Amino acid sequence: MTPVTESIKMSAMPNSLPLRTHEAADPADPIRTAVRFPLHLPVIVRTEQGEFDAVTVDVSSSGVLFSMPAGLPVGSALAWVMRLPASLLGTPGDVAVECAGRVIWSGRFEAGSHIGVVIDEYVLRDEVP
Amino acid sequence: MSNDVQATTPDQETSAIRVILADSQAIYRVGMRKVFAIEDDIRVVAQAETLSNLYAALQRFPADIVVVEGQLLAGTIGAIPDLVRRAPDARLIVQVVETDEANTVELYRRGVRGVVSRSISPDLLIKCIRKIAAGETWIDNQSVSWVIEAYRSQAHSLTSPRSQPKLSPKELTIITCITRGMRNKEIAYQVGTTEQVIKNYLRKIYDKLGVSDRLELALYCMHHQLLKQYQQEPSTPIAANEAAVPGPPRLRM
């Protein structure tokens, strides 16, 4: 067995983010290993501060990385609906994924902001016309 | 008190790290006890010689750490999830004779907090126990590489268009229903079977595709256009099962 140097503190890494930790991550959360799918879906994010347009950068079953014009405070509760198109999904109608979650990371870039969100609840809903 | 599960010291101090030792070889148990005996923050609360003895010990003696011999778990696939379920607050350290990638990755995946060699030095074992009791994971450099590589491979296999397992018509029907938001009971009614059968299919589908829940399944289907691909084949059963059924309740925001 290779020598052990030091144990590594495996604090939670929000899975919706690029591979970096952030101080706002909750160390009590277990390590998330959900796979991130690179999906760009336009959504309207509803928060206590109002509604904002956003686009998903990547989506996993436990979190989403959004790109939006302005950031949101870490800890903000938000809700959004992602529409998975029938043309790609192969279902009779679009499927709406209604989500509720919290902001766990927010970063500012030249083109706007990225926010990392954990999905606390979701419901899949068929939108057969 | 049964001879199979040995309680070693009375429960006096609540601040010490409570350890259960599970090892088929008495000499290892005795050795580890001696090592921990001189540490004032580690207390061995029970010992067990077999897996069933360990279950009994966990029931009787609250523990912070369980040091278990890897051989005790060999051949019992559900042993670790079982242990985690029986003692959700206890953290597992597995001692192995030699490490291999598949075994190590699987141990960490199932919830083990540390994988150490049977020949670990006493000082390092004590350090390991203290770190894990403090909430950390004990993992050596080689194992970190293995775990990260396993994570990358899983991500790649889920997002790669090349590697897609074969799905039966029934499985495709069920996947279609799931991605449309139907509940297990609704699917069972639609398909003409029982809820338990649907759950069994779901487990199999999740394992085949490497997904962990309904949303991940839907995302996988969209990313790979899975259902579309199969629909291009003639007379697929999916088309025959697209009867309108009530959707799931709306999520209250």
Side-chain angles (χ1 to χ4, degrees):
Chain A
M1 193 175 206
T2 55
V4 177
T5 49
E6 283 291 327
S7 71
I8 299 169
K9 187 158 189 175
M10 303 283 270
S11 42
M13 290 176 62
N15 67 298
S16 297
L17 303 179
L19 288 174
R20 56 174 178 254
T21 57
H22 190 270
E23 286 140 12
D26 183 358
D29 277 347
I31 299 167
R32 297 179 189 273
T33 57
V35 173
R36 301 173 198 173
F37 294 88
L39 298 172
H40 301 282
L41 304 167
V43 298
I44 295 174
V45 171
R46 300 200 302 279
T47 73
E48 285 174 5
Q49 290 85 24
E51 293 187 354
F52 303 93
D53 289 324
V55 178
T56 63
V57 177
D58 57 53
V59 184
S60 77
S61 61
S62 52
V64 182
L65 180 66
F66 286 119
S67 171
M68 46 199 293
L72 288 171
V74 170
S76 305
L78 38 82
W80 69 98
V81 178
M82 296 184 292
R83 279 197 169 71
L84 308 184
S87 55
L88 294 177
L89 206 46
T91 46
D94 292 351
V95 170
V97 187
E98 300 177 359
C99 303
R102 295 163 283 128
V103 176
I104 51 171
W105 179 83
S106 183
R108 186 121 191 106
F109 299 92
E110 259 185 47
S113 292
H114 276 186
I115 62 165
V117 171
V118 67
I119 298 174
D120 290 324
E121 296 175 55
Y122 71 84
V123 168
L124 295 169
R125 191 167 53 83
D126 196 8
E127 293 193 328
V128 176
Chain B
M1 184 174 298
S2 156
N3 287 334
D4 298 331
V5 175
Q6 300 166 21
T8 50
T9 54
D11 193 357
Q12 289 171 350
E13 300 167 26
T14 54
S15 57
I17 301 166
R18 299 162 301 180
V19 176
I20 293 180
L21 303 176
D23 203 302
S24 60
Q25 298 185 34
I27 195 163
Y28 270 96
R29 296 198 308 269
V30 167
M32 281 193 283
R33 264 198 69 197
K34 283 185 183 297
V35 165
F36 299 141
I38 55 173
E39 305 297 329
D40 53 15
D41 62 334
I42 297 176
R43 185 164 49 86
V44 177
V45 298
Q47 298 178 52
E49 202 176 347
T50 63
L51 199 54
S52 52
N53 293 161
L54 176 56
Y55 292 154
L58 286 169
Q59 215 168 1
R60 280 196 231 171
F61 308 107
D64 303 302
I65 302 276
V66 178
V67 182
V68 57
E69 178 198 1
Q71 199 52 40
L72 283 188
L73 307 170
T76 316
I77 293 174
I80 291 172
D82 226 357
L83 287 170
V84 169
R85 201 184 61 248
R86 286 166 192 264
D89 295 330
R91 294 172 179 138
L92 296 175
I93 299 174
V94 176
Q95 284 196 311
V96 295
V97 171
E98 54 182 14
T99 51
D100 69 85
E101 184 173 352
N103 200 35
T104 300
V105 167
E106 198 51 34
L107 284 171
Y108 281 111
R109 195 199 307 270
R110 285 174 181 263
V112 163
R113 291 299 191 105
V115 178
V116 301
S117 167
R118 295 276 276 167
S119 57
I120 189 172
S121 72
D123 287 344
L124 215 46
L125 181 59
I126 289 166
K127 195 174 184 183
C128 168
I129 283 180
R130 287 183 178 138
K131 290 284 186 182
I132 290 176
E136 298 181 29
T137 294
W138 184 268
I139 184 166
D140 64 75
N141 295 336
Q142 175 67 81
S143 300
V144 167
S145 304
W146 285 340
V147 168
I148 289 176
E149 187 48 44
Y151 177 60
R152 279 202 195 113
S153 300
Q154 182 198 14
H156 178 74
S157 71
L158 281 185
T159 55
S160 159
R162 273 173 256 140
S163 51
Q164 283 186 29
K166 232 23 189 142
L167 294 161
S168 70
K170 189 62 79 69
E171 287 169 343
L172 289 166
T173 300
I174 290 170
I175 289 172
T176 304
C177 293
I178 291 286
T179 52
R180 291 172 68 185
M182 290 169 67
R183 289 184 175 148
N184 291 347
K185 217 174 236 179
E186 292 168 313
I187 301 171
Y189 177 79
Q190 172 85 339
V191 167
T193 184
T194 65
E195 201 178 339
Q196 186 55 51
V197 168
I198 296 300
K199 286 181 184 175
N200 294 342
Y201 265 107
L202 257 187
R203 206 169 294 122
K204 201 171 158 195
I205 288 166
Y206 285 176
D207 282 344
K208 260 194 191 180
L209 300 182
V211 299
S212 57
D213 64 11
R214 285 162 138 81
L215 178 54
E216 196 163 77
L217 177 60
L219 294 171
Y220 179 98
C221 287
M222 182 161 148
H223 184 79
H224 292 287
Q225 300 187 40
L226 183 77
L227 299 173
K228 268 187 77 174
Q229 281 176 31
Y230 279 94
Q231 277 169 359
Q232 281 158 11
E233 293 169 19
S235 61
T236 59
I238 301 172
N241 283 287
E242 284 173 355
V245 289
R250 293 189 71 108
L251 176 70
R252 275 195 289 272
M253 312 277 192

